[in-house]
Amino acid sequence: MQFNVKFFASLAERTGLTDITLDAHQLTTVADVWDRATDHQSRPANTLCSINLVHARFEDHVHDGDEIAFFPPVTGG
Amino acid sequence: MAVRLSGVVFDPWQELSQQAANLPKGKHGACASFVGTMRDFNLGDTVQSMTLEHYPEMTQHFLDNTVAAACTRWDLIDCLIVHRYGDIRPGDAIVLIAAWSPHRAEAFDACHFLIEELKARAPFWKKETTDHSTRWVHDSTAD
């Protein structure tokens, strides 16, 4: 399975990751993708995520080819 | 209906005027608008500048869907959202929201819905430079 994984804002600085391609098997949920992409770095409690440009939850299932993003609470407007 | 993300300074009043000029005459009785502008202060500090990071594809997707949801919920003639990203200076417009409808209640309600949804869920992040440091803004939902 292959995933495009993105990190934004303070989470990009914290993890040292911005945009990576993750080749991995046995990943079921968004939380699994975080753990594998960050090598099990701790995840801030207020971290948000999306699957294919739509807000998601960490327990949501992922599929081959998905774009997964992780970001802190938003502050636009 | 239009959603535009701008990497350069924009004039919200000119944007509003241009959008209104293209509307059919006599169909809308009300326009409600909101303009958000960058302040030069926050949390007791003087803010010199700000960088607004965003997730371009998701931002466009989210705002397009939010405008579509507003059009389903209220009788709207038109909607406009313009939002800055990149380097911003105090006094620059950050966001323009406008809703045109036959009656004022729908225009007000739609405009309020659009800005609240944007502030709560659109993937933008502010990083401000003060006299002392550069820091991420953690919560702007009450601004």
Side-chain angles (χ1 to χ4, degrees):
Chain A
M1 300 171 76
Q2 190 174 80
F3 305 94
N4 182 18
V5 188
K6 295 174 180 285
F7 297 80
F8 289 93
S10 57
L11 274 186
E13 293 180 354
R14 180 187 174 111
T15 61
L17 302 168
T18 53
D19 189 343
I20 63 172
T21 300
L22 182 66
D23 283 301
H25 296 284
Q26 298 181 324
L27 299 184
T28 305
T29 66
V30 175
D32 294 336
V33 172
W34 169 278
D35 286 339
R36 187 68 62 87
T38 66
D39 195 18
H40 296 273
Q41 289 186 39
S42 63
R43 171 161 45 93
N46 58 3
T47 300
L48 304 175
C49 61
S50 64
I51 302 174
N52 299 329
L53 312 181
V54 177
H55 286 281
R57 298 169 303 174
F58 280 87
E59 63 268 31
D60 286 346
H61 284 212
V62 294
H63 303 90
D64 184 35
D66 281 348
E67 178 170 298
I68 313 295
F70 299 101
F71 43 87
V74 302
T75 54
Chain B
M1 310 296 164
V3 173
R4 191 165 69 81
L5 304 174
S6 175
V8 297
V9 173
F10 71 92
D11 180 343
W13 314 114
Q14 189 174 37
E15 296 276 351
L16 201 56
S17 175
Q18 287 175 346
Q19 191 78 5
N22 293 323
L23 298 180
K25 294 188 186 309
K27 300 300 182 189
H28 63 275
C31 172
S33 64
F34 171 85
V35 175
T37 305
M38 183 185 162
R39 295 184 301 262
D40 66 359
F41 62 93
N42 191 28
L43 301 174
D45 293 314
T46 298
V47 180
Q48 297 175 344
S49 64
M50 183 168 71
T51 299
L52 196 45
E53 182 178 336
H54 72 314
Y55 180 177
E57 300 86 355
M58 183 174 172
T59 303
Q60 187 74 47
H61 185 259
F62 175 80
L63 293 178
D64 285 344
N65 283 349
T66 305
V67 165
C71 291
T72 300
R73 191 163 165 184
W74 292 284
D75 181 14
L76 301 177
I77 304 296
D78 201 6
C79 284
L80 172 64
I81 298 178
V82 183
H83 202 295
R84 274 292 303 278
Y85 63 87
D87 296 330
I88 301 175
R89 311 289 298 184
D92 287 355
I94 298 174
V95 60
L96 163 66
I97 306 270
W100 288 264
S101 72
H103 305 288
R104 69 184 184 284
E106 290 169 305
F108 276 129
D109 289 348
C111 186
H112 186 252
F113 167 80
L114 290 169
I115 186 60
E116 294 303 323
E117 283 291 299
L118 185 154
K119 289 194 77 77
R121 294 167 59 80
F124 291 99
W125 303 277
K126 291 171 178 164
K127 191 176 197 179
E128 57 188 18
T129 298
T130 72
D131 287 343
H132 312 293
S133 66
T134 298
R135 64 193 182 195
W136 291 102
V137 176
H138 293 299
D139 184 5
S140 67
T141 53
D143 286 353

